[in-house]
Amino acid sequence: MLTKTLHIPTADGQADAFAAFPDGGERHPGVLMYADAFGIRPVLREMARELAGHGYYVLVPNFFYRHGPAPVIDLPEHIGEEARPQIIAQLMPLIEAHTAERVLSDADAYLTFLTTRPEVGAGPIAVTGYCIGGLLAMRTAAAHPGQVAAVAAFHGPVGADGPDSFAKLTAQVHLGHAEGDLTPEALGELNKALDAAGVDYTSEIYPGTVHGFTMSDTDAFNPAALQRHWDCLVPLLDRTLANS
């Protein structure tokens, strides 16, 4: 895999970003990957490299770039439960400042940048995200229905914008929820809203998981659930981006 640190021009400045893609000079389908609130760090780089190994150009932007380059705050090598509350307290003002208007403005810039990379093929792209990044992925897909063919979100607050937010989705969708985030009853309501919007989706609670289960540098990490995430994500991308 080749990796690069890049800077994406946006309406509000330059967003630093990490990209991973196969070596060899060919063009590959593009995937926009939104990190969790902890941002770009070794585990996200490794996940981007792993996904790129399946034949994709993966772009991971620092969506908190207005507050500085990644890492925006100091992070321990392992984010344990004792450190988590203090870290979240530092991140909450950044999360609150990242309004829906900013999300959509940035998404326009990220997709323009991604689709004009020489290593990215013509055709639709996919968006995936973790934690708050899952919500950003859903917002991006809804705002770009003709361009985003697939969207996946893991342990993300995907219903935060209400059931009407699904109306513009044309992408195929996979949602992997944490058992600690969503009751079966809440899952039923979410899936009912997706059905009403006519979305082509899978949406499931990953058994035995808590919020953040994909992230190996946290106490929430669940190796079996991370593998389940790859087993759902990669076929979704292969199916929807095969001709890109």
Side-chain angles (χ1 to χ4, degrees):
M1 292 303 102
L2 293 177
T3 61
K4 286 185 179 180
T5 299
L6 302 165
H7 291 86
I8 303 171
T10 75
D12 293 329
Q14 297 265 329
D16 52 303
F18 176 81
F21 50 96
D23 197 358
E26 298 178 351
R27 300 175 78 190
H28 303 277
V31 179
L32 176 61
M33 177 185 282
Y34 286 113
D36 59 2
F38 299 134
I40 300 173
R41 58 197 193 281
V43 66
L44 261 297
R45 294 186 179 93
E46 181 53 40
M47 291 173 79
R49 281 192 291 266
E50 180 156 351
L51 185 54
H54 292 276
Y56 297 99
Y57 182 104
V58 184
L59 180 68
V60 189
N62 168 25
F63 52 81
F64 289 147
Y65 69 90
R66 292 174 181 85
H67 306 276
V72 179
I73 66 169
D74 290 332
L75 291 171
E77 194 170 305
H78 182 84
I79 304 168
E81 284 306 306
E82 288 185 6
R84 190 182 183 96
Q86 183 181 359
I87 295 170
I88 295 296
Q90 289 179 268
L91 289 170
M92 279 310 298
L94 282 62
I95 294 170
E96 290 166 358
H98 200 51
T99 61
E101 183 180 19
R102 284 183 169 182
V103 171
L104 296 183
S105 174
D106 288 349
D108 290 346
Y110 300 155
L111 293 185
T112 297
F113 184 86
L114 175 61
T115 55
T116 54
R117 301 301 299 169
E119 304 91 350
V120 175
I125 61 97
V127 188
T128 185
Y130 305 88
C131 178
I132 188 177
L135 177 59
L136 305 190
M138 293 289 278
R139 286 175 172 171
T140 300
H144 297 270
Q147 190 174 13
V148 177
V151 58
F154 301 92
H155 48 83
V158 295
D161 293 336
D164 292 344
S165 64
F166 304 136
K168 294 181 180 178
L169 280 173
T170 59
Q172 291 188 33
V173 177
H174 175 72
L175 305 176
H177 311 286
E179 194 174 78
D181 284 346
L182 210 61
T183 64
E185 294 75 21
L187 176 67
E189 289 300 313
L190 175 65
N191 292 353
K192 192 182 299 181
L194 290 163
D195 286 334
V199 178
D200 182 356
Y201 74 94
T202 56
S203 173
E204 61 182 276
I205 294 172
Y206 286 21
T209 55
V210 296
H211 184 74
F213 60 78
T214 57
M215 298 297 156
S216 62
D217 61 351
T218 73
D219 286 351
F221 180 52
N222 182 312
L226 175 64
Q227 186 57 52
R228 173 67 182 162
H229 138 282
W230 289 123
D231 291 345
C232 292
L233 177 59
V234 174
L236 171 68
L237 303 189
D238 290 349
R239 190 166 63 244
T240 54
L241 305 183
N243 297 320
S244 295

